[in-house]
């Protein structure tokens, strides 16, 4: 049986004076460990080619990075909005739409949970510290794999099944978070301050799971529950590939 092809979105950065397409290798390692073939998608792919790209994928990971441009959810920029990349936003929104309409399973991580919420019509807090002053520190100064706040997870949710727990300590590197939840999504984890830390799609909708923390950073911890998130995505992508659905456009329910 062939392995499922998992697309991973990426960033554009200038390094040593040269523009590069980059991705934190932790995402790549996590997908490899879970049994998927990682395919890195440059933000420089023109959005009108998203359909063709989606034809070659069995699963999609929307990765972390910049703030989402508030123009995509109909708001003026907050004075403390972080750096945005409208080129990346456009490609990722197009890729997400293609994945959703083709029922390609999607795992959203950090910026990814925000991006897909916007893609489905929701909005974001643009600057948690000033807009939610009672919030915990969600931009931790600690190591990437340090667990700095808890999340309470809905029992019986896709997330709880994938992690094997209903309470988890997580890492936290986000400046934005979900404000108004998009229709079709269900909240399945919150931080103690009420911040939305995970969402998923309902029964009958395309498979979607998204978290506000960074599960990929635990790839080198063999017993970490976060491996279950990548295994769940790969399992769904394998099922879809095995059903011969790769490339076909299915009518959304
Ligand atoms: Mn957090």
């Amino acid at each position: 049986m062939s392995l499922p092809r998992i697309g991973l979105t990426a960033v554009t950065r200038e390094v040593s004076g040269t523009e590069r397409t980059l991705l934190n290798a932790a995402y790549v390692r996590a997908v490899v460990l879970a049994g998927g073939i990682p395919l890195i998608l440059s933000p420089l792919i023109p959005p009108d080619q998203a359909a063709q790209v989606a034809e070659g994928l069995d699963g999609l990971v929307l990765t972390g990075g910049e703030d989402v441009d508030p123009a995509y959810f109909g708001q003026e920029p907050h004075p403390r909005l972080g750096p945005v990349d409208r080129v990346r936003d456009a490609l990722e929104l197009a890729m997400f739409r293609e994945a959703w309409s083709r029922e390609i399973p999607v795992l959203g991580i950090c910026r990814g949970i925000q991006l897909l919420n916007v893609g489905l019509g929701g909005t974001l807090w643009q600057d948690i510290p000033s807009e939610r002053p009672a919030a915990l520190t969600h931009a931790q100064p600690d190591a990437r794999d340090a667990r700095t706040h808890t999340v309470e997870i809905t029992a019986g949710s896709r997330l709880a099944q994938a992690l094997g727990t209903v309470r988890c300590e997580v890492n936290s590197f986000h400046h934005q978070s979900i404000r108004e939840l998009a229709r079709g999504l269900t909240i399945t984890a919150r931080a103690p301050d009420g911040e939305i830390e995970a969402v998923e799609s309902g029964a009958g909708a395309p498979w979607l799971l998204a978290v506000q923390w960074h599960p990929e950073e635990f790839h080198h911890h063999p017993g970490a529950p976060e491996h279950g998130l990548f295994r769940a995505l790969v399992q769904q992508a394998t099922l879809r590939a095995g059903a011969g659905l790769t490339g076909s456009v299915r009518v959304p329910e």
Side-chain angles (χ1 to χ4, degrees):
M1 190 175 65
S2 60
L3 301 177
R5 298 159 298 181
I6 309 295
L8 296 142
T9 60
V11 302
T12 301
R13 291 278 187 279
E14 193 175 299
V15 180
S16 305
T18 301
E19 185 186 45
R20 298 167 194 252
T21 292
L22 295 176
L23 178 64
N24 182 346
Y27 294 105
V28 179
R29 292 189 182 280
V31 167
V32 170
L33 280 168
I37 299 175
L39 299 174
I40 299 171
L41 308 178
S42 173
L44 303 180
I45 297 169
D48 64 4
Q49 294 172 11
Q52 261 187 277
V53 175
E55 282 177 20
L57 297 179
D58 304 306
L60 176 66
V61 181
L62 296 168
T63 64
E66 300 86 354
D67 284 352
V68 177
D69 191 317
Y72 287 111
F73 48 94
Q75 292 182 8
E76 293 297 315
H78 185 281
R80 292 180 185 273
L81 177 71
V84 297
D85 180 346
R86 290 184 58 86
V87 171
R88 182 183 180 193
D89 289 342
L91 188 262
E92 290 194 346
L93 287 165
M95 283 306 307
F96 174 64
R97 265 182 233 114
E98 290 296 333
W100 188 252
S101 68
R102 292 161 192 265
E103 300 190 4
I104 293 172
V106 173
L107 176 62
I109 295 176
C110 198
R111 165 191 160 90
I113 191 175
Q114 300 159 13
L115 192 285
L116 64 85
N117 185 60
V118 170
L120 291 172
T123 66
L124 306 177
W125 296 109
Q126 293 187 43
D127 177 66
I128 295 174
S130 63
E131 295 182 299
R132 306 268 287 157
L136 298 167
T137 298
H138 287 276
Q140 68 184 50
D142 311 72
R144 300 288 298 175
D145 60 347
R147 297 179 183 272
T148 60
H149 74 67
T150 57
V151 294
E152 296 288 343
I153 299 161
T154 306
S157 63
R158 193 174 283 156
L159 178 66
Q161 288 172 356
L163 290 171
T165 183
V166 292
R167 194 163 196 275
C168 194
E169 295 277 331
V170 301
N171 55 357
S172 194
F173 297 94
H174 54 111
H175 174 234
Q176 302 192 315
S177 62
I178 292 177
R179 185 172 185 168
E180 294 164 276
L181 186 69
R183 284 185 59 176
L185 297 179
T186 302
I187 298 166
T188 54
R190 285 187 189 268
D193 57 8
E195 287 292 311
I196 296 170
E197 290 277 343
V199 300
E200 57 196 57
S201 54
W207 192 92
L208 178 154
L209 181 55
V211 295
Q212 186 57 75
W213 75 95
H214 279 277
E216 76 284 0
E217 296 292 353
F218 303 102
H219 69 87
H220 56 300
H221 299 273
E226 282 82 0
H227 289 285
L229 298 182
F230 294 94
R231 282 198 297 263
L233 172 71
V234 167
Q235 182 182 32
Q236 290 298 318
T238 302
L239 286 171
R240 186 179 184 282
L245 296 176
T246 300
S248 62
V249 179
R250 305 183 72 203
V251 179
E253 291 176 37

